[in-house]
Amino acid sequence: MKERKAADRPTILVTGARGQLGRELAAALPSVGNVIACDRTMLDLSDPAAISRVVRDAAPQLIVNAGAYTAVDRAEREHALAFAVNARAPAVLAEEARRARAVLVHYSTDYVFDGERTTPYDEASPPNPLNVYGESKLEGERAIAATGAIAFTLRTSWVYGRYGQNFLVTMQKLAAARDELRVVADQVGVPNWARALAHATVRLVARGVEELPEHAGLYHLSAQGSATWCDFARAIVRDHPRVSVTPITSAEYPTPAKRPAYGVLDASRFARTFGFALPAWQTLLQDCLHSDPEPTPNHPVH
Ligand SMILES: NC(=O)c1ccc[n+]([C@@H]2O[C@H](COP(=O)([O-])OP(=O)(O)OC[C@H]3O[C@@H](n4cnc5c(N)ncnc54)[C@H](OP(=O)(O)O)[C@@H]3O)[C@@H](O)[C@H]2O)c1
């Protein structure tokens, strides 16, 4: 990607900059702009006045909202906080973006769907979340759209990376301690490496804030293929022959929040519009397992 001249470089405000995706974005976005990366201590997304103040001070041309309340089970009992961060905060960010004529990039989830289908969901598929997290994320999507801001809402699924709290890290820790992993095999989705999502975002916004508005809207951004959590676990521990992975049902691993049985996202609209797609999830997993754990500005997306 071409580096932009200093005068052309947009100011980019990143929220949630200490999360899986936020860390990768904060490392990768400097190739296209001047990044102000805000973690929770710099911007508490549950505080609407703080959001307005920080956005107005930064005066960004681009806002990338990587912050989210992602504790899916805890959200069942922290309804108000989940909605504050996942629905009200994106609404305020979008309103501020509209006011400043900035572009907003936001992320959402396959958990807006109920998982009753057995073929990939596209952007026109009707959402019907099964849990509070999914409801709060759907409300965030709708609130952004209602402001009329120039916004890209990118739905993705099963985000993982080399650090943070995610399935890959959990499986690696368990594999170091146990010979058998019992993993749910009746939920189907797509694992997505945070770094690949960040680099796809960079490639998207590298078109320049002048060119982005005509393409604004809702997109599914996901690797190709599909997997159960059990398939994903097997691929993670493939190099540990000592460890066996036993499939179990969701009923054998009860959680406070219900999960959709099927959450594969059809990302073809994104590919048609922007001319590139994420590779197969297995390819990204191998890239991740062999990667530098520290976020990088390189671009594995082709
Ligand atoms: N993780 C997944 O499997 C998954 C699946 C589908 C879609 N998504 C979406 O992808 C996006 C990125 O998710 P992720 O996996 O990177 O999540 P993550 O690792 O949990 O990061 C979320 C970040 O948001 C921050 N945050 C939470 N509450 C906040 C608040 N009140 N004020 C400011 N920051 C706050 C967290 O801060 P702390 O670090 O201080 O807690 C964390 O750094 C989100 O929109 C998420 O909904 C994720």
Side-chain angles (χ1 to χ4, degrees):
M1 180 189 316
K2 277 186 279 176
E3 292 271 337
R4 300 185 139 236
K5 282 188 285 182
D8 297 340
R9 287 167 62 81
T11 297
I12 306 174
L13 181 73
V14 178
T15 71
R18 215 172 282 189
Q20 299 189 76
L21 187 52
R23 280 180 60 156
E24 298 288 353
L25 286 164
L29 281 167
S31 64
V32 288
N34 301 321
V35 174
I36 302 172
C38 295
D39 64 13
R40 187 199 291 264
T41 62
M42 295 162 73
L43 173 54
D44 180 351
L45 291 168
S46 68
D47 179 350
I51 298 173
S52 295
R53 191 176 59 245
V54 168
V55 174
R56 290 179 196 191
D57 283 353
Q61 284 78 50
L62 184 65
I63 301 170
V64 184
N65 182 30
Y69 182 106
T70 56
V72 176
D73 289 315
R74 215 166 60 221
E76 297 296 308
R77 54 185 163 79
E78 288 189 341
H79 185 278
L81 184 56
F83 272 77
V85 177
N86 291 346
R88 192 179 57 197
V92 177
L93 285 168
E95 187 49 42
E96 290 297 332
R98 190 192 59 75
R99 192 176 168 274
R101 294 198 179 83
V103 174
L104 173 65
V105 177
H106 174 75
Y107 300 90
S108 191
T109 171
D110 59 315
Y111 281 13
V112 298
F113 296 116
D114 60 17
E116 295 289 320
R117 282 176 59 155
T118 51
T119 54
Y121 288 98
D122 67 18
E123 291 81 353
S125 307
N128 181 33
L130 299 180
N131 55 46
V132 169
Y133 167 75
E135 286 169 9
S136 68
K137 293 294 290 184
L138 179 60
E139 188 160 312
E141 293 181 2
R142 289 178 170 161
I144 289 171
T147 64
I150 299 160
F152 292 80
T153 295
L154 308 176
R155 283 187 189 141
T156 191
S157 63
W158 296 18
V159 180
Y160 67 90
R162 296 280 300 274
Y163 50 81
Q165 284 192 342
N166 63 66
F167 186 83
L168 178 137
V169 170
T170 303
M171 288 303 118
Q172 286 180 325
K173 279 187 194 150
L174 289 175
R178 300 182 190 172
D179 291 339
E180 187 198 14
L181 307 180
R182 293 165 56 76
V183 185
V184 169
D186 57 3
Q187 292 171 29
V188 178
V190 187
N192 280 291
W193 184 22
R195 186 168 302 172
L197 296 172
H199 291 168
T201 303
V202 171
R203 195 159 164 187
L204 167 66
V205 303
R207 292 171 157 253
V209 286
E210 311 79 16
E211 280 185 39
L212 287 173
E214 63 175 302
H215 300 298
L218 175 66
Y219 293 92
H220 290 175
L221 174 60
S222 176
Q224 314 286 314
S226 65
T228 66
W229 290 110
C230 187
D231 297 331
F232 188 24
R234 286 199 171 115
I236 293 167
V237 302
R238 203 174 64 176
D239 296 335
H240 299 73
R242 177 184 53 78
V243 180
S244 68
V245 180
T246 306
I248 61 167
T249 64
S250 301
E252 291 175 88
Y253 186 76
T255 52
K258 219 174 151 190
R259 266 83 170 161
Y262 183 87
V264 179
L265 299 174
D266 173 350
S268 55
R269 180 175 184 226
F270 185 97
R272 275 196 312 277
T273 308
F274 301 112
F276 69 97
L278 298 185
W281 69 264
Q282 296 93 331
T283 306
L284 289 181
L285 174 62
Q286 289 311 311
D287 287 353
C288 173
L289 291 172
H290 298 105
S291 68
D292 187 334
E294 284 307 308
T296 70
N298 299 325
H299 294 267
V301 180
H302 304 292

